[in-house]
Amino acid sequence: MKLDILTRSDIEILVDVFYDKVRKDKIIGYLFTEVAQTDWNHHLPKMYDFWEVILFGTGSFKGNPMLVHKQLHDQSP
């Protein structure tokens, strides 16, 4: 069993598994499907880039995730 995240491929697996569970979650899944109306083909690569920067200090993520999440939070009770 592999326990460490060592490559971008590892990040992609982790992010894909995480968001697969999130989409099915009865409590927060609607935030992605109804509120954000997430385009997964666009969102997942951004998450790979984000975590690559956070974990490895490499990658190309640019953005303000806190602002985006605040805006989404303001749209949901």
Side-chain angles (χ1 to χ4, degrees), residues 11-30:
I11 291 170
E12 291 175 8
I13 292 167
L14 176 68
V15 168
D16 288 347
V17 169
F18 173 79
Y19 279 109
D20 185 50
K21 291 180 180 183
V22 164
R23 286 184 260 195
K24 296 173 186 171
D25 189 90
K26 293 177 183 176
I27 296 172
I28 64 171
Y30 83 97

Side-chain angles (χ1 to χ4, degrees), residues 50-67:
F50 172 80
W51 284 108
E52 185 176 2
V53 168
I54 297 298
L55 295 172
F56 303 140
T58 61
S60 60
F61 179 81
K62 292 189 183 358
N64 186 341
M66 293 304 290
L67 176 62

